[in-house]
Every structure is written in C-alpha cells, then in structure tokens.
Amino acid sequence: MKIFLIGFMGCGKSTLGRKLATRLGYTLIDLDHKIEKIANSTIANYFSTHGEDAFRKLESQTLQTLEYPTNCVIATGGGTPCYFDNMDWMNANGLTIYIEMTPLALAKRLEQGIAKRPLLGNLSEQGIVQFIENKLEERNMYYKKAKYILNGINLTPEQIHALVLAQD
Ligand code: S3P
C-alpha cells in the first residue's frame, strides 16, 4: 500500500512519515528529497534558478513516475496536491491523509528553517500567519479531497497506523 501524507509546510509530514514507516516496516519516500536528487539542486535553488512553474512540473512528473516499492509512506511537498491532477492521482493510487493544522500553529512551527522554504521568503511572523491563511484558503479544496483528515496537533504515528490497519 502507498500512504500519501499531505498538508501545509511545517505540519509534520516528514517526521510523522518517518516514524510511521518505521512502525509499519514500510519504506519512507520524501518527495522533496527525490526531486532534489533528480534535479541535483536544493528546492530553494531550483526555485530561484528555474521558477515555480518549472518546479511544479518536475514535482508532478516525479510524483507520478517514481518507481515506488510495494509498501511505502510518501511525505509529499506542501503544494503537491494542488497542481495538475496530483491529488486525484494520489487518491487513485494510494491512501491519502491530510494532516491539518491552524495557520498560527503552522507559523510557530515554521519559524525555524524558513531559509529552506522559498515560498516564505523573508516574511515576518505576522506576515507568515497571513501568508498561510491565504494559501490555506486556496489549497484546502485540494487538501480536503484526502480520504482522511486528521488534526495534526499531538497526532501520533500510532493513530495513523490504526487507520492503515482498518483498510481492506
Ligand atoms: C512547498 C512546500 C515544500 C516544497 C516547496 C514548495 C509548498 O515542501 O515542496 O518548497 O508549495 O508548500 P514541505 O511541505 O515539505 O516544506
């Protein structure tokens, strides 16, 4: 089974993904890392050299053409579900789980590591909250197509594991 973790930057997709994969004995695939390997560039550099449109194309192509192991957990990028037919493709090819969090909670978690996230540029803390609110408004229609929507605060890999076990 493929388990796609989706949600905004900072919601914990990679950390939860790693723990969940370990629990299940599945392989973890971090989509951003795959893209960085294929492009031989960090995401931030790729954005500044080629622009966002080129990044979105590469992201979609990577998502939809990777050779996945039979059982894996995929930590997607925050924008992955929102471009091309990526969300429908993930729903058709695996179990999608949206890790939901409020803009304020996300902003607090994003304060560190802003440099790695080109979309945040050099926004102030208040600017980040506003940016997240606006983006979530655009993105929720995609995120909410996920099969499961889980509150990311205090979410544990055990809770996601239980959902996975409940699938046929
Ligand atoms: C993005 C999120 C990032 C990365 C890129 C764009 C977004 O991934 O794919 O910087 O559009 O939200 P994370 O959610 O893993 O930070």
Side-chain angles (χ1 to χ4, degrees):
M1 187 193 318
K2 294 187 193 67
I3 303 167
F4 294 99
L5 300 182
I6 69 164
F8 206 82
M9 289 177 266
C11 73
K13 297 173 298 256
S14 301
T15 309
L16 273 168
R18 185 169 15 86
K19 291 182 181 162
L20 178 65
T22 303
R23 271 188 80 87
L24 291 165
Y26 284 17
T27 306
L28 173 72
I29 295 189
D30 187 306
L31 193 63
D32 282 346
H33 289 169
K34 289 280 178 201
I35 295 169
E36 288 183 329
K37 264 200 165 169
I38 290 168
N40 193 24
S41 159
T42 62
I43 303 272
N45 270 331
Y46 196 87
F47 256 72
S48 58
T49 314
H50 303 279
E52 183 169 354
D53 286 355
F55 172 76
R56 295 305 173 193
K57 275 192 201 139
L58 178 60
E59 179 181 48
S60 182
Q61 201 181 5
T62 306
L63 173 76
Q64 299 196 22
T65 60
L66 257 185
E67 296 226 351
Y68 293 95
T70 314
N71 290 317
C72 54
V73 177
I74 302 106
T76 62
T80 311
C82 315
Y83 294 87
F84 305 102
D85 59 347
N86 292 345
M87 192 62 210
D88 293 335
W89 186 88
M90 288 190 277
N91 274 326
N93 286 279
L95 179 68
T96 52
I97 299 175
Y98 172 27
I99 303 168
E100 189 173 35
M101 270 191 202
T102 64
L104 197 58
L106 288 167
K108 289 229 163 78
R109 294 165 58 101
L110 282 169
E111 267 166 29
Q112 278 99 38
I114 279 181
K116 281 189 281 172
R117 289 174 156 117
L119 286 179
L120 297 178
N122 39 26
L123 295 168
S124 65
E125 192 188 326
Q126 190 44 42
I128 292 178
V129 176
Q130 191 60 56
F131 171 85
I132 297 172
E133 276 173 7
N134 295 342
K135 276 271 171 226
L136 273 180
E137 229 170 89
E138 286 167 31
R139 290 183 169 184
N140 265 334
M141 61 179 282
Y142 302 99
Y143 290 161
K144 296 222 161 161
K145 284 187 178 179
K147 176 150 187 198
Y148 294 105
I149 300 176
L150 304 179
N151 180 348
I153 301 289
N154 300 325
L155 181 62
T156 63
E158 290 77 6
Q159 286 166 273
I160 308 181
H161 189 175
L163 272 183
V164 174
L165 290 179
Q167 306 306 303
D168 18 82

